[in-house]
Amino acid sequence: MHKLRFFSGIALLALSATACGLAAASPERGVVVPAEPTMIDFVDPAAVAGLSTRTLTDGHYAGSRYVHISYPEFRNAPALNRALRAEAERKWRDFGGRTKGRAAYQRPELNVDWQLAAASAQAIAVRLRTGEFQGAGWAYSTHTYWFDRRSGKVAESAGLLDGEHALRQLSQLVREQLKGRGSQVEREEVTAAGDRFDSMAFNRGGDLVVEFDDCQIGPCSLGRLAVAIPMERVRPLLSEFGRRAQDSVREAARSAQDKVRDSVREAAAKRAPSESPEAVSNQAGTVDCAKAKCVALTFDDGPGPYTAKLLDILRKDQARVTFFVVGSNAAAQPDLVKRMSAEGHLVGNHTWDHKDLSKQATSRITDSLARTEDAVTTAIGQRPTLARSPYGTASQAVRDVAAELGLALVDWDVDVKDLFADKAGDIADLAVRKAHPGAIILMHDIHRETVDAVPDILKRLRGKGYSFVTVPELYGSAGMQAGHLYRSGSELPGKRPLT
């Protein structure tokens, strides 16, 4: 197994945690929830002071599994940070153990993303959503951790309740709520024992939303099952911390609801992706790659904690690159995305949550790319026309969707293998050794050593006569066509696409 590497990320806007914005949303776009009360208003992470993200990743190299785990980290919440890190490591280890020996055959995939079910002066709630693919389709589970800001302690979701007796009473209430869900739901499986109550949060009205994993209390085909226990019935069962958490969620919802509604309308009006101009570098055309030795540096998975430093380096050395941003990161840190564009770089689409698109239904592929298009367009006022598939997988379905969305697909022909490199010098040596005219070089701005290597790469390649351009500039007047896959600006005569 590759060693674990952590990347801190998303340094978010310093706003008061007592005035967090709320983003009304179902657990995932396109998922049909059983009833409106089971929807949770997730907190906008960009409104939480001192929040960053961490990422574990694997799968870029032959024989490895596909793994992308993202989770938040908070200033002044060390116990919560330790708990989340331990859970991420556990998921990585368990997945590796269960899939040992299967990586070479239709690579199994682990993907973990997160939302904030609460973020106030009283409590933080982190909802980890885990997806696994092992050949028969995706299966999802959720786990919500609660943090009591007053005591500085972490609690599992069951910690919202006042002991075992309250948990048994909640089990009975949940079984009652499930009576109308059909015979396929195994209500007798809902007990106070085990992990049945490891993902609970409050909706805007204070009802307790209890979520179950796929296949946990019924056939896997049922997907997500959740119930909402009315506030007045659950209130007597809550612990002192649970009541404070419930009150804080209701208060935040009341104070933010109107503001959120207005901001959503405003964002939608600004977004208008179909009316936005196509994204281009504002310095495109200053280098003629038909005459000059050109190379395109590309950076995936950001914006992250080192992206600002990278932009400083690129501005100082007057080099431009192409960023393929993960949509959830771009939405949380739009100012960095805007800076990328303003300083002459090109912003491309790297999907919303970094899942292997070749395992996704067409509707999911469309959603992941379109959500990222919206996030980037909102940030820079231009619509990206380039996309890169996570792990470099691009099935025919992916190409078809890309064509419909007006996206050219970009692969690479030089991989500096930076995700698991310990030394900036090794990354620079590999980049310089493998560079050639027309090369598209894969790098990651979530990796500190990669960013540290960039000044040396720029200096040494410039000394060899190279100019640094965005990907479309490699193809000059031939342009890039939506739905086609491009791997190198020099691979084929006439700079034609691979497919």
Side-chain angles (χ1 to χ4, degrees):
M1 178 186 295
H2 289 302
K3 63 184 177 181
L4 277 64
R5 181 170 297 280
F6 291 84
F7 307 103
S8 60
I10 311 184
L12 297 171
L13 301 177
L15 301 179
S16 169
T18 62
C20 298
L22 297 180
S26 59
E28 183 180 356
R29 229 188 197 191
V31 173
V32 178
V33 295
E36 179 67 22
T38 67
M39 295 186 71
I40 300 167
D41 288 342
F42 295 124
V43 178
D44 179 3
V48 180
L51 186 150
S52 60
T53 63
R54 295 274 177 172
T55 301
L56 286 73
T57 186
D58 195 7
H60 294 78
Y61 313 121
S64 59
R65 301 163 182 83
Y66 289 153
V67 176
H68 189 88
I69 302 174
S70 178
Y71 64 94
E73 187 172 80
F74 301 86
R75 187 174 63 222
N76 300 326
L80 178 59
N81 297 336
R82 289 192 297 269
L84 294 174
R85 175 169 179 151
E87 178 69 2
E89 291 177 327
R90 185 190 67 78
K91 288 181 181 296
W92 177 292
R93 289 193 302 269
D94 289 353
F95 181 72
R98 285 185 282 104
T99 59
K100 187 176 181 180
R102 297 186 57 200
Y105 174 73
Q106 194 177 15
R107 291 182 179 178
E109 182 172 359
L110 173 67
N111 186 279
V112 182
D113 59 13
W114 57 275
Q115 297 89 20
L116 297 180
S120 70
Q122 295 295 325
I124 299 172
V126 179
R127 178 183 183 270
L128 298 178
R129 183 172 184 273
T130 301
E132 289 193 19
F133 184 94
Q134 296 192 37
W138 284 91
Y140 292 94
S141 61
T142 55
H143 193 145
T144 301
Y145 285 90
W146 284 83
F147 177 70
D148 185 349
R149 285 187 182 270
R150 181 179 297 179
S151 68
K153 295 181 179 179
V154 180
E156 297 278 344
S157 289
L160 296 171
L161 303 173
D162 190 18
E164 286 294 325
H165 178 68
L167 187 58
R168 288 193 295 271
Q169 287 184 279
L170 179 64
S171 301
Q172 179 59 38
L173 291 174
V174 171
R175 289 193 292 270
E176 292 176 7
Q177 289 274 16
L178 290 170
K179 282 182 179 179
R181 300 296 178 87
S183 59
Q184 288 184 306
V185 177
E186 299 171 1
R187 294 189 297 120
E188 65 277 7
E189 291 293 322
V190 180
T191 67
D195 58 356
R196 294 295 187 263
F197 294 95
D198 61 358
S199 188
M200 297 190 290
F202 299 102
N203 65 18
R204 67 180 65 179
D207 304 335
L208 184 65
V209 178
V210 181
E211 297 184 287
F212 297 99
D213 300 340
D214 291 1
C215 319
Q216 194 172 35
I217 60 170
C220 299
S221 58
L222 291 178
R224 176 185 184 258
L225 281 171
V227 299
I229 306 302
M231 182 192 70
E232 62 275 9
R233 300 196 71 182
V234 78
R235 182 78 176 184
L237 306 181
L238 298 179
S239 64
E240 186 272 336
F241 167 61
R243 290 191 294 273
R244 285 192 285 113
Q246 183 188 49
D247 291 341
S248 68
V249 170
R250 295 181 68 207
E251 181 181 352
R254 283 195 300 266
S255 63
Q257 190 169 3
D258 291 339
K259 183 178 179 180
V260 169
R261 187 184 301 114
D262 292 341
S263 65
V264 168
R265 290 198 192 103
E266 182 180 350
K270 288 181 179 178
R271 192 160 57 225
S274 62
E275 300 176 6
S276 299
E278 294 183 352
V280 294
S281 166
N282 58 30
Q283 297 180 36
T286 57
V287 176
D288 183 356
C289 292
K291 300 177 181 178
K293 289 171 61 177
C294 294
V295 64
L297 302 181
T298 66
F299 293 88
D300 287 10
D301 295 355
Y306 313 111
T307 304
K309 179 181 178 181
L310 173 59
L311 288 169
D312 291 341
I313 293 169
L314 296 171
R315 181 172 57 187
K316 178 182 177 182
D317 290 337
Q318 298 183 333
R320 59 186 181 276
V321 305
T322 303
F323 289 96
F324 289 97
V325 299
V326 173
S328 57
N329 289 350
Q333 211 166 2
D335 286 349
L336 267 181
V337 180
K338 185 176 181 179
R339 183 183 168 190
M340 292 172 185
S341 178
E343 296 184 1
H345 310 294
L346 189 62
V347 183
N349 187 326
H350 200 36
T351 75
W352 184 259
D353 53 8
H354 206 278
K355 285 184 180 143
D356 176 9
L357 294 182
S358 68
K359 298 187 181 84
Q360 303 289 314
T362 298
S363 60
R364 296 288 190 184
I365 298 171
T366 301
D367 182 70
S368 185
L369 290 170
R371 292 176 74 184
T372 306
E373 291 286 280
D374 286 359
V376 174
T377 303
T378 300
I380 69 175
Q382 298 178 341
R383 180 180 61 81
T385 59
L386 303 184
R388 174 170 282 167
S389 295
Y391 312 111
T393 60
S395 63
Q396 187 59 51
V398 173
R399 299 178 191 183
D400 291 343
V401 170
E404 292 176 3
L405 295 177
L407 294 167
L409 295 170
V410 179
D411 210 333
W412 60 86
D413 64 340
V414 174
D415 182 354
V416 300
K417 302 185 182 301
D418 56 331
L419 284 177
F420 298 97
D422 289 319
K423 298 179 181 178
D426 293 341
I427 297 170
D429 288 345
L430 189 57
V432 173
R433 185 169 69 251
K434 290 193 172 184
H436 60 84
I440 298 175
I441 300 179
L442 171 67
M443 306 173 82
H444 298 81
D445 54 319
I446 59 171
H447 188 14
R448 180 174 55 196
E449 284 78 7
T450 300
V451 174
D452 289 344
V454 169
D456 194 25
I457 293 171
L458 296 177
K459 179 180 179 180
R460 291 165 65 182
L461 287 181
R462 190 163 271 147
K464 292 176 176 286
Y466 282 98
S467 296
F468 302 98
V469 299
T470 62
V471 171
E473 293 175 83
L474 295 177
Y475 297 91
S477 59
M480 301 178 72
Q481 303 174 46
H484 289 263
L485 178 64
Y486 297 81
R487 183 170 179 263
S488 171
S490 61
E491 182 135 14
L492 294 174
K495 298 181 180 177
R496 295 164 59 88
L498 293 179
T499 57

